[in-house]
Amino acid sequence: MKQIAVIGAGTMGNGIAHTFAQSGFTVKLIDISEAAIERGMTTIAKNLDRMVAKGSITEDDKINTISNIITYTDTKDGVVGCDLVIEAATENVDLKLKIFKQLSDICDHNVILATNTSSISITQIAAQVVHPERVIGMHFMNPVPIMKLVEIIRGYNTSNEVTKIIMSLSEKLGKTPTEVNDYPGFVANRILMPMINEAIETLYNGVAGVAEIDTVMKLGMAHPMGPLQLADFIGLDVCLSILNVMYDGFKNPKYAPCPLLINMVMAGKLGVKSGEGFYDYAEVKKAEKVSKQFMKS
Ligand SMILES: NC(=O)c1ccc[n+]([C@@H]2O[C@H](COP(=O)([O-])OP(=O)(O)OC[C@H]3O[C@@H](n4cnc5c(N)ncnc54)[C@H](O)[C@@H]3O)[C@@H](O)[C@H]2O)c1
């Protein structure tokens, strides 16, 4: 495998593109939004700068990584000549089904189609595709260039051969792939999201404040980050979608999203990406805007 396409240049898509490009793959990064592509490329450049400053890569590595990425706003143009497509678009069932129907129509039948979905059924997605045995979940963790785990999800029809290829490809990226089966939330989010939801419920019930809840989990349970801050990093809209998928999939009230989470998403408080969630990131957003203007001038 030499050439891969990544659909979606948001939080995860730009991290996946960065990781593959740094390992020498040609990456075609596709997003319907020109602004999202620009933001994604700025994030990649910033993350590479941080790695150069730390001494973990050289300036040449940075230049090569960036030059391995080509951007597109049209999926049909972007997937030409790719051996693997990884979809990392917004977590929405209808959108993903539509994207995979299109990929089935425009890609050769030997192209492997992966999704980075956090919770949506791989089997349901694969049902849109001719040769569903080539559809697989490749669930990277955030931030992708740093996090070692890739949860590899086998849909009902995913073949052994495709699973083997994707497991070994993940290892080539320096990751640790872990194989799981296709049930709502898979393993990572089935365990993580109820904890985040409970932390939000604890705040909603007035048991403790944001900082206190996160401090208890950081210092008491040795978590590197509190659950509310982690929710901000994941994106509150993403957390809500995952909880809804598990709530619908298991028909179990224990996965019902906390009303406070629903309200915050409706109010546009999505965490780091919107500038505010449980914490305020306005200063970070302001700094990003200034550096973008500076780069343009
Ligand atoms: N955020 C996380 O921590 C995290 C972790 C693991 C997996 N995921 C999963 O990764 C996927 C992406 O999440 P994200 O947090 O990067 O979302 P995001 O909102 O940051 O980015 C989504 C991007 O998809 C683009 N998009 C929407 N429709 C598209 C289309 N038809 N074609 C091309 N691009 C399109 C949007 O313009 C946007 O830039 C979701 O399935 C999510 O569940 C997220």
Side-chain angles (χ1 to χ4, degrees), residues 36-51:
I37 288 181
E38 209 178 297
R39 269 197 310 274
M41 290 306 292
T42 306
T43 302
I44 293 171
K46 233 169 41 189
N47 290 340
L48 287 166
D49 279 338
R50 206 171 297 136
M51 288 171 150

Side-chain angles (χ1 to χ4, degrees), residues 214-227:
D214 276 356
T215 301
V216 167
M217 296 306 284
K218 274 192 290 189
L219 302 188
M221 318 299 157
H223 289 196
M225 190 184 277

Side-chain angles (χ1 to χ4, degrees), residues 7-13 30-33 36 39 75 87-91 95-96 99 116-118 139-142 233-235 237-238 242 273:
I7 300 183
T11 312
M12 296 306 288
I30 306 162
D31 201 295
I32 40 166
S33 152
R39 269 197 310 274
T75 304
E87 172 277 317
T90 315
E91 184 79 347
L95 173 71
K96 297 212 190 259
I99 290 174
N116 185 52
T117 180
S118 305
H139 184 204
F140 289 89
M141 303 292 132
N142 184 18
F233 275 88
I234 293 170
D237 52 338
V238 176
I242 298 169
K273 66 180 157 193

Side-chain angles (χ1 to χ4, degrees), residues 48-147:
L48 287 166
D49 279 338
R50 206 171 297 136
M51 288 171 150
V52 173
K54 270 195 192 157
S56 51
I57 62 167
T58 64
E59 188 64 34
D60 276 355
D61 294 332
K62 177 194 157 183
I63 292 165
N64 290 337
T65 301
I66 288 179
S67 67
N68 281 342
I69 304 173
I70 313 162
T71 61
Y72 295 83
T73 49
D74 185 86
T75 304
K76 206 170 167 191
D77 292 343
V79 299
V80 172
C82 289
D83 311 297
L84 165 69
V85 181
I86 303 175
E87 172 277 317
T90 315
E91 184 79 347
N92 173 294
V93 181
D94 294 337
L95 173 71
K96 297 212 190 259
L97 298 185
K98 206 170 120 205
I99 290 174
F100 275 79
K101 171 105 196 42
Q102 187 193 14
L103 291 175
S104 178
D105 291 340
I106 61 182
C107 295
D108 286 348
H109 289 172
N110 58 350
V111 174
I112 296 178
L113 303 177
T115 171
N116 185 52
T117 180
S118 305
S119 60
I120 296 167
S121 163
I122 309 302
T123 307
Q124 187 185 5
I125 289 173
Q128 305 302 309
V129 172
V130 178
H131 294 300
E133 66 278 6
R134 63 190 167 131
V135 178
I136 192 161
M138 215 177 169
H139 184 204
F140 289 89
M141 303 292 132
N142 184 18
V144 184
I146 310 278
M147 298 293 281

